[in-house]
mmCIF file of all heavy atoms in Angstrom:
data_model
loop_
_atom_site.group_PDB
_atom_site.id
_atom_site.type_symbol
_atom_site.label_atom_id
_atom_site.label_comp_id
_atom_site.label_asym_id
_atom_site.label_seq_id
_atom_site.Cartn_x
_atom_site.Cartn_y
_atom_site.Cartn_z
ATOM 1 N N GLN A 4 -0.144 8.763 -0.775
ATOM 2 C CA GLN A 4 0.392 9.893 -1.527
ATOM 3 C C GLN A 4 -0.274 11.171 -1.048
ATOM 4 O O GLN A 4 -1.449 11.414 -1.340
ATOM 5 C CB GLN A 4 0.158 9.700 -3.022
ATOM 6 C CG GLN A 4 0.736 10.801 -3.896
ATOM 7 C CD GLN A 4 2.248 10.790 -3.918
ATOM 8 O OE1 GLN A 4 2.873 9.732 -3.996
ATOM 9 N NE2 GLN A 4 2.847 11.965 -3.829
ATOM 10 N N ALA A 5 0.479 11.984 -0.326
ATOM 11 C CA ALA A 5 -0.052 13.241 0.202
ATOM 12 C C ALA A 5 0.274 14.392 -0.739
ATOM 13 O O ALA A 5 1.324 14.404 -1.389
ATOM 14 C CB ALA A 5 0.541 13.515 1.579
ATOM 15 N N SER A 6 -0.618 15.357 -0.774
ATOM 16 C CA SER A 6 -0.418 16.546 -1.603
ATOM 17 C C SER A 6 -1.210 17.706 -1.024
ATOM 18 O O SER A 6 -2.019 17.520 -0.103
ATOM 19 C CB SER A 6 -0.871 16.273 -3.040
ATOM 20 O OG SER A 6 -2.250 15.958 -3.079
ATOM 21 N N GLY A 7 -0.969 18.897 -1.572
ATOM 22 C CA GLY A 7 -1.740 20.054 -1.176
ATOM 23 C C GLY A 7 -1.015 21.068 -0.329
ATOM 24 O O GLY A 7 -1.563 22.125 -0.020
ATOM 25 N N ARG A 18 -6.022 22.845 1.721
ATOM 26 C CA ARG A 18 -6.606 21.521 1.887
ATOM 27 C C ARG A 18 -5.582 20.476 1.451
ATOM 28 O O ARG A 18 -5.135 20.472 0.304
ATOM 29 C CB ARG A 18 -7.886 21.355 1.075
ATOM 30 C CG ARG A 18 -8.598 20.041 1.407
ATOM 31 C CD ARG A 18 -9.920 19.871 0.700
ATOM 32 N NE ARG A 18 -9.765 19.392 -0.663
ATOM 33 C CZ ARG A 18 -10.708 18.706 -1.322
ATOM 34 N NH1 ARG A 18 -11.855 18.432 -0.730
ATOM 35 N NH2 ARG A 18 -10.510 18.344 -2.570
ATOM 36 N N LEU A 19 -5.249 19.625 2.385
ATOM 37 C CA LEU A 19 -4.343 18.510 2.100
ATOM 38 C C LEU A 19 -5.159 17.287 1.698
ATOM 39 O O LEU A 19 -6.258 17.061 2.204
ATOM 40 C CB LEU A 19 -3.489 18.176 3.315
ATOM 41 C CG LEU A 19 -2.690 19.320 3.939
ATOM 42 C CD1 LEU A 19 -1.835 18.792 5.097
ATOM 43 C CD2 LEU A 19 -1.842 20.025 2.916
ATOM 44 N N SER A 20 -4.589 16.512 0.791
ATOM 45 C CA SER A 20 -5.209 15.259 0.363
ATOM 46 C C SER A 20 -4.209 14.122 0.519
ATOM 47 O O SER A 20 -3.003 14.331 0.376
ATOM 48 C CB SER A 20 -5.641 15.336 -1.105
ATOM 49 O OG SER A 20 -6.559 16.376 -1.334
ATOM 50 N N CYS A 21 -4.724 12.948 0.782
ATOM 51 C CA CYS A 21 -3.880 11.753 0.873
ATOM 52 C C CYS A 21 -4.625 10.605 0.203
ATOM 53 O O CYS A 21 -5.668 10.169 0.710
ATOM 54 C CB CYS A 21 -3.562 11.430 2.318
ATOM 55 S SG CYS A 21 -2.607 9.903 2.534
ATOM 56 N N VAL A 22 -4.102 10.157 -0.911
ATOM 57 C CA VAL A 22 -4.703 9.050 -1.640
ATOM 58 C C VAL A 22 -4.024 7.756 -1.224
ATOM 59 O O VAL A 22 -2.787 7.664 -1.222
ATOM 60 C CB VAL A 22 -4.565 9.247 -3.157
ATOM 61 C CG1 VAL A 22 -5.190 8.074 -3.904
ATOM 62 C CG2 VAL A 22 -5.210 10.560 -3.585
ATOM 63 N N TRP A 37 -3.658 12.384 10.343
ATOM 64 C CA TRP A 37 -2.700 13.391 9.860
ATOM 65 C C TRP A 37 -1.798 13.756 11.031
ATOM 66 O O TRP A 37 -2.295 14.068 12.129
ATOM 67 C CB TRP A 37 -3.407 14.642 9.350
ATOM 68 C CG TRP A 37 -4.025 14.486 8.001
ATOM 69 C CD1 TRP A 37 -5.342 14.250 7.725
ATOM 70 C CD2 TRP A 37 -3.346 14.575 6.736
ATOM 71 N NE1 TRP A 37 -5.530 14.183 6.370
ATOM 72 C CE2 TRP A 37 -4.322 14.384 5.735
ATOM 73 C CE3 TRP A 37 -2.031 14.815 6.345
ATOM 74 C CZ2 TRP A 37 -4.019 14.409 4.365
ATOM 75 C CZ3 TRP A 37 -1.729 14.838 4.999
ATOM 76 C CH2 TRP A 37 -2.710 14.641 4.025
ATOM 77 N N THR A 78 -9.469 8.357 -0.247
ATOM 78 C CA THR A 78 -8.758 9.598 0.030
ATOM 79 C C THR A 78 -9.193 10.179 1.372
ATOM 80 O O THR A 78 -10.376 10.138 1.723
ATOM 81 C CB THR A 78 -9.014 10.625 -1.082
ATOM 82 O OG1 THR A 78 -8.578 10.086 -2.339
ATOM 83 C CG2 THR A 78 -8.264 11.925 -0.824
ATOM 84 N N VAL A 79 -8.231 10.707 2.092
ATOM 85 C CA VAL A 79 -8.507 11.433 3.325
ATOM 86 C C VAL A 79 -8.026 12.867 3.122
ATOM 87 O O VAL A 79 -7.018 13.109 2.449
ATOM 88 C CB VAL A 79 -7.830 10.766 4.537
ATOM 89 C CG1 VAL A 79 -6.318 10.724 4.397
ATOM 90 C CG2 VAL A 79 -8.234 11.435 5.833
ATOM 91 N N TYR A 80 -8.786 13.791 3.676
ATOM 92 C CA TYR A 80 -8.507 15.210 3.506
ATOM 93 C C TYR A 80 -8.245 15.873 4.856
ATOM 94 O O TYR A 80 -8.727 15.414 5.894
ATOM 95 C CB TYR A 80 -9.692 15.913 2.842
ATOM 96 C CG TYR A 80 -10.083 15.350 1.505
ATOM 97 C CD1 TYR A 80 -11.140 14.443 1.410
ATOM 98 C CD2 TYR A 80 -9.413 15.707 0.346
ATOM 99 C CE1 TYR A 80 -11.512 13.904 0.178
ATOM 100 C CE2 TYR A 80 -9.778 15.176 -0.890
ATOM 101 C CZ TYR A 80 -10.824 14.288 -0.962
ATOM 102 O OH TYR A 80 -11.188 13.758 -2.182
ATOM 103 N N LEU A 81 -7.527 16.971 4.806
ATOM 104 C CA LEU A 81 -7.388 17.834 5.967
ATOM 105 C C LEU A 81 -7.600 19.263 5.498
ATOM 106 O O LEU A 81 -6.744 19.827 4.818
ATOM 107 C CB LEU A 81 -6.015 17.674 6.636
ATOM 108 C CG LEU A 81 -5.855 18.466 7.928
ATOM 109 C CD1 LEU A 81 -6.765 17.876 9.020
ATOM 110 C CD2 LEU A 81 -4.405 18.443 8.409
#
Side-chain angles (χ1 to χ4, degrees):
Q4 182 69 42
S6 61
R18 188 176 82 154
L19 306 183
S20 301
C21 176
V22 180
W37 283 100
T78 301
V79 61
Y80 302 98
L81 185 68

